[in-house]
Amino acid sequence: MTDSSSLAPSKITTDVLIAGGGPCGLMLAIELGRRGIRSLLVDAKPSTAFNPQANATQARTMEHFRRLGFANEVRVQGLPPDHPTDIAYFTRYAQHELARIRLPTAAEATVKIKSMTGSWSAAELPHRVSQKFVEQTLRRHAQASPCADVRYGWTLERFHDHGDSVSATVRPTEGGPAQEVSARYLVGADGARSLVRRELGIEWGGVTGIQREFMGGKMFAVYLRAPGFTSVLRHPKAWMYVAVNHRRRAFMASVDGMAEYAFHAALKPGEDSEHWTHEDARRVFEEAVGVELPVEILSTGTWLAGHALVAQRFQQGRVFIAGDAAHLFTPTGGLGYNTAVEDAVNLAWKLASVIRGKAPEGLLDSYEIERKRVAERNTGFARRFADSVGLFKAQPELEEESERGEAERRLAAQHLDEHARLEFNIPGVTFGGRYDGSPIIAGDGAALPPDEPNNYVHTASPGGRPPHMWLDDGRSLFDLFHSEWTLLALGPDAPATDSFEAAARDAGMDLRVVHLPQAALLELYEAPLALIRPDQIVAWRGATDHEATAVLSRVIGRATA
């Protein structure tokens, strides 16, 4: 509704105060707004991100964007539709290519997904797009909600949890009168240096400071324009270019598919980039390219790789943390931003249910139980990917034009080919996160497939993503799910659902029954009834509706088994 730095009333009253306007905070505002929940989002930056930051939107995130109606809007952003999305490894970008994993273009993805089976049976494929473009889309959709007050250029200064509400002070970042805020809840989606987490005294768990030759230690980031870059390539264009040599390890992602790139170089022992100039940035870039070419530096900065950190708590009273405030990744696999989006998806429907009086406050306890375990899982996978590429030692002989050089390149090619498939073909990571053991999941004790990064085996056992299927009429099964609760009644002889419908009415739950007679769906779900949560997670499955009241009480947090 609002994107304002104008004077507001002396006291702002809202349901949820959101600190942070990155993907997590914006997604939370969108999800709450769709449910009629008021939010005030503040972010100290004047606008959404200028620098590219994350560059990969995973398939599960794209499925959530599809659920909200803007997946296609995101997919046309970033690279041109026919631009390669390959990840390619070189000694230097203008020299020897070592390995390449070929992936569909944006145009190909929308066609290929409808015929893909097995691990990649999904409503959407991943999309290679800079986070800066995604944030612009999310901001537009957040601001379109009459329930969302979105304020960039405003800073959260302090807050206090009173037990029945949260009071806070926000102020224009560039100066001006402070505004007092009264909210029912506060969510700190305010990044790695989170004020909210710090004020709550929540410590990190996990490991940091991991040292590797690459993706472990200080990284020098450059946002640049190099229109002539592709003219020096000896090999086909890619989306991501990785430099592997003993002098300068680096990776670079294409931002617009034409001239803009996000370049990140590992600093060598003894290097201090804090006072590096644009000339230094050009020098480091040319070390990775292998030849000189004109470069315009748009911005520079440093960041630290080697994190695998998860906050010890995600909630304290009426205050929650999410996104980078709750977990820090080394960006291998692109899991940080995608994990943050699912934090918002998980928390939003629970906050809305409690605020609307449809669920007890105890439902909110499940947010930490569910998301903390997934964060620990995902940071572990990212660390594994970082070890795979970062502990590989590039020998000086790798660049020699000799038999010894050719032998080293063959060895490097074998390792990097295996690594590329480990890090960039990850349906298991993308779709396999589960909430087993959550008090609001009615688990059935079924044997679960192994949790492997590169293989995903569909299961409708409660606690995970519902198995996907394309229907005969060309629709995705997921497109039939209700925005709130869905009860799938599967097979030609599906049991009655009257008890679920009556229990949902009594509980004030917005439930839609979807009847699908296809035998293949019954076989896929291994039960004729399956209850799907608002965040598209299987909450329960079974053969009859006899225990409908008990099931709904459990999944909404009113009772546990």
Side-chain angles (χ1 to χ4, degrees), residues 363-423:
L363 173 66
L364 299 174
D365 295 340
S366 67
Y367 166 68
E368 176 181 310
I369 293 169
E370 293 183 347
R371 294 306 300 163
K372 187 170 184 285
R373 292 172 184 173
V374 170
E376 290 167 345
R377 166 193 185 264
N378 289 358
T379 54
F381 277 130
R383 181 180 179 183
R384 177 177 169 186
F385 302 153
D387 284 344
S388 173
V389 69
L391 297 179
F392 175 77
K393 187 170 181 60
Q395 301 295 337
E397 295 81 8
L398 193 64
E399 297 187 87
E400 284 186 5
E401 299 298 338
S402 64
E403 289 186 8
R404 185 169 59 175
E406 289 179 5
E408 281 296 329
R409 288 191 288 276
R410 284 194 296 271
L411 290 173
Q414 181 180 351
H415 177 86
L416 294 170
D417 182 75
E418 293 173 356
H419 165 77
R421 280 146 184 78
L422 173 67
E423 181 181 354

Side-chain angles (χ1 to χ4, degrees), residues 490-518:
L490 304 175
D493 302 308
T497 60
D498 299 11
S499 294
F500 270 105
E501 295 171 70
R505 285 193 298 271
D506 292 344
M509 294 173 67
D510 185 1
L511 175 74
R512 177 185 298 168
V513 179
V514 176
H515 294 272
L516 293 165
Q518 295 94 325

Side-chain angles (χ1 to χ4, degrees), residues 74-105:
V74 171
R75 197 171 288 281
V76 299
Q77 292 184 322
L79 306 180
D82 59 349
H83 192 285
T85 63
D86 302 354
I87 297 91
Y89 299 78
F90 305 84
T91 54
R92 299 178 197 249
Y93 302 148
Q95 297 177 5
H96 297 280
E97 181 174 309
L98 299 170
R100 178 181 293 251
I101 181 170
R102 299 184 185 277
L103 297 171
T105 65

Side-chain angles (χ1 to χ4, degrees), residues 194-457:
S194 169
L195 166 76
V196 176
R197 187 191 66 248
R198 188 168 65 247
E199 290 297 310
L200 293 176
I202 297 176
E203 300 291 338
W204 289 116
V207 294
T208 190
I210 302 169
Q211 295 297 309
R212 306 180 184 94
E213 189 169 298
F214 179 58
M215 285 297 189
K218 272 196 174 181
M219 302 286 290
F220 182 55
V222 186
Y223 182 21
L224 59 88
R225 283 181 53 83
F229 173 72
T230 55
S231 68
V232 304
L233 289 177
R234 292 162 44 184
H235 302 278
K237 285 194 301 185
W239 159 66
M240 180 175 285
Y241 304 84
V242 185
V244 184
N245 62 73
H246 75 291
R247 293 190 181 278
R248 183 68 67 187
R249 299 285 295 272
F251 74 96
M252 182 173 77
S254 180
V255 174
D256 64 355
M258 293 175 286
E260 293 186 6
Y261 299 89
F263 173 77
H264 302 265
L267 296 185
K268 296 179 287 189
E271 287 187 321
D272 181 3
S273 64
E274 293 302 319
H275 303 292
W276 278 2
T277 65
H278 284 190
E279 282 305 311
D280 290 307
R282 292 184 183 93
R283 170 181 57 81
V284 172
F285 177 62
E286 287 172 3
E287 287 177 354
V289 177
V291 297
E292 293 185 12
L293 73 162
V295 177
E296 178 188 357
I297 306 301
L298 302 177
S299 69
T300 64
T302 59
W303 55 278
L304 190 65
H307 294 310
L309 295 172
V310 177
Q312 293 182 349
R313 300 193 310 280
F314 282 23
Q315 175 190 5
Q316 188 165 303
R318 289 181 169 264
V319 183
F320 302 82
I321 58 173
D324 285 355
H327 37 69
L328 279 182
F329 291 72
T330 291
T332 40
L335 303 183
Y337 140 60
N338 294 277
T339 304
V341 166
E342 285 217 79
D343 289 347
V345 171
N346 183 288
L347 182 57
W349 74 266
K350 296 173 181 178
L351 282 170
S353 297
V354 172
I355 290 169
R356 293 187 301 192
K358 306 300 183 183
E361 285 210 53
L363 173 66
L364 299 174
D365 295 340
S366 67
Y367 166 68
E368 176 181 310
I369 293 169
E370 293 183 347
R371 294 306 300 163
K372 187 170 184 285
R373 292 172 184 173
V374 170
E376 290 167 345
R377 166 193 185 264
N378 289 358
T379 54
F381 277 130
R383 181 180 179 183
R384 177 177 169 186
F385 302 153
D387 284 344
S388 173
V389 69
L391 297 179
F392 175 77
K393 187 170 181 60
Q395 301 295 337
E397 295 81 8
L398 193 64
E399 297 187 87
E400 284 186 5
E401 299 298 338
S402 64
E403 289 186 8
R404 185 169 59 175
E406 289 179 5
E408 281 296 329
R409 288 191 288 276
R410 284 194 296 271
L411 290 173
Q414 181 180 351
H415 177 86
L416 294 170
D417 182 75
E418 293 173 356
H419 165 77
R421 280 146 184 78
L422 173 67
E423 181 181 354
F424 293 103
N425 179 25
I426 52 172
V429 178
T430 301
F431 300 133
R434 295 187 55 83
Y435 300 149
D436 300 307
S438 167
I440 62 168
I441 292 294
D444 62 4
L448 298 173
D451 189 11
E452 300 172 342
N454 308 120
N455 185 49
Y456 174 66
V457 178

Side-chain angles (χ1 to χ4, degrees), residues 72 88 176 224 325 401 433 484 553:
N72 290 339
L224 59 88
E401 299 298 338
E484 294 300 313
S553 292

